[in-house]
Amino acid sequence: MTRFQHPLKLLLLSTSVGALGSGLGGGVELTLKNIAQALKHQGHQVTIVAPAHSVLEGVPLVTIAGNLQITAQTQGGDALITLPPNAVLGNMWAHARQVQHEYNLLINFAYDWLPFYLTPFFERPIAHLVSMGSLTDAMDQIIEQIAVGFPGTIAVHSRAQAETFQFADRCRNLQNGFDLSLYEFCAQPKRQLAWVGRIAPEKGLEDAVAAAQIVGIPLKIWGVIQDRVYWNQICADYPDAAIAYGGFLPTSELQQVLGQSQALLMTPRWVEAFGNVAIEALACGVPVIAYRRGGPAEIVRDGETGWLVEPDSVDGLVNAIAQLDRLDRQACRRQAEAEYSLEAMSDRLEAWFETILKKV
Ligand code: UDP
């Protein structure tokens, strides 16, 4: 059931670090797809603006040419605000400015300075879904400015993510939602562990590899290799670990192989804003062993749908793997259904839009 008498016209602006479908956008790609689907299901009209070469079926997509942004997580706290020449980010927002009057609300998915800075210059309201925690002073400042000047327009994916910012109490926690019909429950896993995500230092893959080497269980790895040097170093450091890299798979294939795993290991070094892969695993009946930090610590029910482990402790991971048989795979699927369905997400999204549109 929608809260709105008339369907809304919504313009969703994607991340500008990669085309949709490339994997470079990390969790934002699936989040955007899921949110578009949830809103469409509620009867709203959704259009997505994304970099050239983006692929997404079932939703009108406007693709925009231009050079991609550099990812924020690779820069230091005092990083300058940068745009390449002919920036796709600038081009996407120039398009948004031109068409804004055809929409009730614009929704920004980019963790970039420009859309926040532009907010007061637009005539239509802009809702910002912030996909990462605090990374640079410049971003903290501009997001706070909008959180104060446009109350209620900033949303995040977890409390832990909000708390990395000084203005945590001004952030709305939307968590996330998934089309659970796309994930098949698997009762009988193979003898394998899984690790899924962008292969980049903030994701801490080496700890999962170290743990897998100690317990002697094969570790299957899926995701885009974003940092090739980092990946080569891991392969060199753990020559005896039974690791197998499976590439970057579309959801339909990922869920099948992920589902056959005894557990998903989540070993981030940073405050993971949410961790989409945690829900994807739970939806397949796969328990999640995660460091007790960031989004995963708010998702995993310790001792029921996974184990929460002392951050950065490989021993902790090893102990948790030894206790996997105490967990019920059905309970994992049930948690995903109860908390992270598209229906639950639609409700949280509409409540957010309602507060923003009431203020206009
Ligand atoms: N993913 C995928 N295929 C793969 C590996 C990963 O589609 O082979 C997707 C996965 O579904 C998830 C995203 O990559 O949506 C990773 O997002 P997450 O929130 O876990 O981390 P982020 O990359 O945003 O830090």
Side-chain angles (χ1 to χ4, degrees):
M1 268 287 285
T2 173
R3 292 167 181 257
F4 292 92
Q5 251 179 345
H6 305 289
L8 297 174
K9 292 185 176 165
L10 302 164
L11 188 66
L12 278 52
L13 289 115
S14 183
T15 169
S16 47
V17 301
L20 287 172
S22 70
L24 293 173
V28 176
E29 294 185 27
L30 186 61
T31 299
L32 178 67
K33 183 176 175 181
N34 291 343
I35 286 180
Q37 201 191 326
L39 294 170
K40 248 182 70 175
H41 193 256
Q42 294 295 92
H44 303 303
Q45 285 180 34
V46 179
T47 303
I48 294 178
V49 179
H53 312 299
S54 286
V55 184
L56 188 75
E57 274 163 32
V59 186
L61 184 63
V62 178
T63 56
I64 305 276
N67 291 312
L68 298 173
Q69 286 297 110
I70 303 168
T71 53
Q73 64 268 26
T74 53
Q75 301 168 47
D78 58 355
L80 301 180
I81 297 149
T82 53
L83 285 170
N86 185 29
V88 72
L89 177 64
N91 297 345
M92 284 166 62
W93 284 88
H95 172 79
R97 187 173 59 83
Q98 277 167 5
V99 300
Q100 60 178 311
H101 297 108
E102 297 166 28
Y103 298 91
N104 301 103
L105 179 67
L106 278 55
I107 305 151
N108 168 39
F109 288 79
Y111 191 98
D112 275 293
W113 184 85
L114 189 68
F116 293 91
Y117 177 78
L118 289 176
T119 300
F121 299 95
F122 270 66
E123 284 163 32
R124 284 288 183 267
I126 303 176
H128 300 271
L129 179 50
V130 179
S131 59
M132 294 186 279
S134 168
L135 289 172
T136 69
D137 298 342
M139 280 301 288
D140 286 7
Q141 272 171 20
I142 195 74
I143 304 174
E144 179 159 22
Q145 224 165 295
I146 298 309
V148 172
F150 298 83
T153 62
I154 305 292
V156 293
H157 291 292
S158 66
R159 284 322 314 160
Q161 180 198 355
E163 277 153 23
T164 65
F165 299 114
Q166 298 283 335
F167 48 92
D169 55 349
R170 293 181 180 273
C171 300
R172 191 179 186 105
N173 181 10
L174 292 181
Q175 303 170 278
N176 224 340
F178 296 77
D179 181 352
L180 298 171
S181 70
L182 302 178
Y183 300 85
E184 223 176 306
F185 176 74
C186 173
Q188 288 299 331
K190 293 183 179 165
R191 192 172 169 279
Q192 70 179 41
L193 297 165
W195 191 96
V196 184
R198 290 175 295 107
I199 298 174
E202 69 271 14
K203 296 297 218 173
L205 169 60
E206 63 276 24
D207 287 8
V209 174
Q213 180 169 281
I214 293 169
V215 298
I217 301 177
L219 178 70
K220 299 283 167 91
I221 301 166
W222 293 284
V224 165
I225 300 182
Q226 216 169 26
D227 186 333
R228 176 70 53 185
V229 175
Y230 171 69
W231 167 248
N232 289 343
Q233 190 62 48
I234 292 174
C235 296
D237 288 347
Y238 299 94
D240 301 329
I243 56 175
Y245 175 60
F248 178 79
L249 300 181
T251 302
S252 56
E253 292 171 38
L254 178 68
Q255 65 85 26
Q256 203 170 29
V257 284
L258 172 61
Q260 294 165 352
S261 308
Q262 289 170 278
L264 173 75
L265 304 184
M266 290 187 77
T267 47
R269 296 261 177 256
W270 69 345
V271 176
E272 183 85 50
F274 187 75
N276 280 352
V277 297
I279 311 303
E280 299 186 87
L282 294 176
C284 300
V286 176
V288 178
I289 295 176
Y291 288 152
R292 191 188 295 277
R293 91 158 41 110
E298 289 172 32
I299 296 168
V300 175
R301 294 190 197 147
D302 195 23
E304 196 188 327
T305 59
W307 294 109
L308 290 172
V309 167
E310 189 195 329
D312 310 315
S313 166
V314 171
D315 287 347
L317 297 172
V318 169
N319 287 336
I321 295 166
Q323 297 185 61
L324 276 172
D325 56 1
R326 290 173 55 192
L327 306 174
D328 171 11
R329 291 173 74 92
Q330 289 282 1
C332 299
R333 173 75 194 187
R334 278 199 302 272
Q335 186 191 355
E337 285 174 359
E339 297 172 29
Y340 302 105
S341 65
L342 282 189
E343 293 72 29
M345 186 63 175
S346 302
D347 216 44
R348 296 191 283 265
L349 282 165
E350 285 200 340
W352 181 37
F353 296 164
E354 199 175 43
T355 42
I356 296 173
L357 292 170
K358 262 191 200 149
K359 288 186 182 137
V360 177

